[in-house]
Amino acid sequence: MTTPPETARAHNAPGRGDDRRVALYTPEFAAHPHRAYREMREQYGSLVPVDLAPGVPATLVIGYRTALRILNDPDRFPADPRTWERTVPGDCPVLPVLQWRPAAPRSAGPAHARYRGATTAALDGVDLHAARRTVEHHAVPLINKFCERGSADLVREYAFPLTFEVINAMLGCPPEISERAAAATAAIFDGVDAEAGNRMFGEAVSDLVAAKRREPGNDLTTRLLHDPAGFDEEEMVHQVLALYGVGMGPMQSLIINALSVMLTDDRFADDMLGGSVSTRDALDDVLFDDPPLPNASVTYPRQPVLIDNTWLPAHQPVVISLAGCNNDPEIRTGNHTGNRAHLAWGAGPHACPAQNTAQLIAQEAIDQLLDALPELRLAVPAAELTWRPGPLHRTLAALPVTFPPSPPLHLP
């Protein structure tokens, strides 16, 4: 394509160290992303020049309708990052999450269709009633560990271990392997020694695949192994990696972010004791304002593309800000109750295929906790809650609570 005309903006032209770019990796952005989105919109409109990490430029899409155009145009905006990968260092903190893998989230064209078809078929085999029982089976023992104490950190003592156990049960992952995978997941999403975490994660999942070959079961891993797509060893490992990685961190975040809203927002907190609070409404609120992966839907234009009077460079990340787009004043109505028009699950060919299962698990996890401890209250002022840094995810580092000590529960 020829040189961009002067009438079109080129604020996203390649360049490192550009002080016009908004840094998404800072603690300040993690603490106040919605303020940042408002300021971005005022200065740049729907397309914002950002850095995902120091020296890693990208374009952030915060316009709802612009995002839908991009998400539904995989020919011009494919999700395959391999050309971009050659431009970033191996120790780039966002690379383990964004790098190419032979799996649906980071592929395009026929390969994407093949991977996604197998993933969707495997998820279609999940018994939602059994999933609900699995949540209850693991939630009750966790609640019993702190219910008599009268206090807990719901991240460390509830959401993380519960998500860990439920995802492992769905994948058929034995404990000795799942412990290694959990440690690797934390390293990757925190961006701390992410390269080592990525390697550890792959090794753990490879061992899981080998275990399911020896002893198949009624689980996601076994269904993927038996899919007509006929995955080779590397592909098989990456199908499970995609399910594991997207399931662990985001599921935990969805539970915690919804509980945080229910404990801090007057619309929900005032109703908790009366039992009139709706978990589904709180989840809808979170999926609009603080989705677990607000900036992890990424495409890479095959060539320079002019959109909204802005040139997007070839092969540079175009990141759909699900949170930013959900709060676009053009479509924002204010009240989320019953409104599911958000982009938290994505849109187009890369929309999340597990959204029904994820929503059921999160709702059941929250309901189990609130049924057991209905007088749950935040243990610190809301302003003292801190968000984990990182440009791609959105979750609290801790959620300390107090409640009247209660006797242990009994599983039915």
Side-chain angles (χ1 to χ4, degrees):
M1 190 171 284
T2 57
T3 303
E6 292 182 0
T7 55
R9 289 176 291 164
H11 66 227
N12 288 55
R16 299 178 185 273
D18 187 341
D19 59 9
R20 293 174 299 173
R21 294 190 172 276
V22 179
L24 300 188
Y25 52 85
T26 64
E28 291 77 17
F29 176 78
H32 303 289
H34 298 297
R35 181 175 68 193
Y37 295 137
R38 287 194 300 271
E39 293 172 352
M40 292 178 199
R41 204 181 308 278
E42 291 172 0
Q43 184 171 1
Y44 296 105
S46 62
L47 299 169
V48 185
V50 299
D51 277 330
L52 300 179
V56 182
T59 299
L60 190 71
V61 182
I62 59 173
Y64 184 91
R65 302 191 192 285
T66 303
L68 286 179
R69 289 169 58 192
I70 293 172
L71 290 169
N72 286 290
D73 189 0
D75 290 336
R76 289 200 303 167
F77 294 92
D80 189 327
R82 280 177 283 189
T83 300
W84 167 77
E85 279 185 50
R86 294 195 287 269
T87 70
V88 298
D91 61 353
C92 172
V94 297
L95 183 58
V97 178
L98 299 184
Q99 72 183 128
W100 177 80
R101 302 179 189 274
R106 306 299 178 210
S107 60
H112 170 259
R114 176 169 170 259
Y115 297 138
R116 184 180 174 88
T119 299
T120 300
L123 288 166
D124 285 345
V126 173
D127 182 334
L128 296 182
H129 294 292
R132 193 186 301 274
R133 291 193 298 270
T134 298
V135 174
E136 181 181 20
H137 176 77
H138 292 290
V140 169
L142 289 171
I143 294 169
N144 284 347
K145 290 182 179 180
F146 55 74
C147 64
E148 295 179 287
R149 187 200 316 153
S151 65
D153 170 14
L154 295 181
V155 173
R156 179 175 54 85
E157 297 182 84
Y158 188 67
F160 175 78
L162 178 59
T163 303
F164 174 79
E165 296 290 355
V166 171
I167 297 300
N168 283 327
M170 294 176 67
L171 289 169
C173 187
E176 65 274 12
I177 296 176
S178 64
E179 290 175 8
R180 291 156 48 203
T185 301
I188 290 171
F189 275 89
D190 285 340
V192 178
D193 201 6
E195 190 173 6
N198 203 32
R199 184 179 62 255
M200 291 164 51
F201 202 1
E203 292 170 353
V205 171
S206 181
D207 289 346
L208 167 60
V209 171
K212 301 316 293 184
R213 287 191 190 278
R214 294 190 302 270
E215 296 182 25
N218 182 18
D219 52 63
L220 290 170
T221 308
T222 299
R223 287 195 285 276
L224 287 167
L225 277 167
H226 294 160
D227 191 87
F231 297 128
D232 62 29
E233 189 67 24
E234 181 187 15
E235 288 179 319
M236 186 61 217
V237 167
H238 283 286
Q239 306 320 300
V240 179
L241 275 171
L243 286 170
Y244 215 143
V246 174
M248 285 289 292
M251 180 69 70
Q252 170 191 330
S253 301
L254 182 57
I255 294 168
I256 285 298
N257 292 1
L259 283 168
S260 173
V261 166
M262 297 172 85
L263 291 167
T264 60
D265 191 316
D266 290 343
R267 292 172 299 158
F268 299 100
D270 290 345
D271 293 332
M272 285 183 65
L273 275 173
S276 61
V277 65
S278 166
T279 301
R280 184 61 188 265
D281 289 343
L283 286 168
D284 286 340
D285 197 85
V286 165
L287 290 168
F288 263 98
D289 288 341
D290 284 312
L293 292 177
N295 300 313
S297 182
V298 187
T299 68
Y300 305 83
R302 299 183 190 278
Q303 58 188 7
V305 177
L306 180 63
I307 189 167
D308 287 1
N309 204 35
T310 298
W311 282 97
L312 305 179
H315 308 299
Q316 189 181 99
V318 175
V319 182
I320 307 299
S321 176
L322 306 179
C325 292
N326 287 344
N327 289 279
D328 184 344
E330 186 178 349
I331 58 95
R332 177 94 177 190
T333 62
N335 186 356
H336 301 152
T337 302
N339 187 347
R340 314 239 150 83
H342 54 72
L343 290 179
W345 305 112
H350 281 271
C352 176
Q355 54 187 277
N356 291 334
T357 303
Q359 187 117 352
L360 177 142
I361 291 171
Q363 184 165 339
E364 184 67 16
I366 294 168
D367 286 344
Q368 286 289 330
L369 180 68
L370 296 183
D371 286 347
L373 303 171
E375 297 182 64
L376 208 63
R377 289 291 179 264
L378 198 61
V380 299
E384 293 183 13
L385 296 174
T386 59
W387 297 89
R388 286 167 50 190
L392 307 178
H393 59 250
R394 175 72 168 161
T395 189
L396 288 167
L399 186 60
V401 295
T402 59
F403 46 87
S406 301
L409 305 169
H410 297 284
L411 277 169

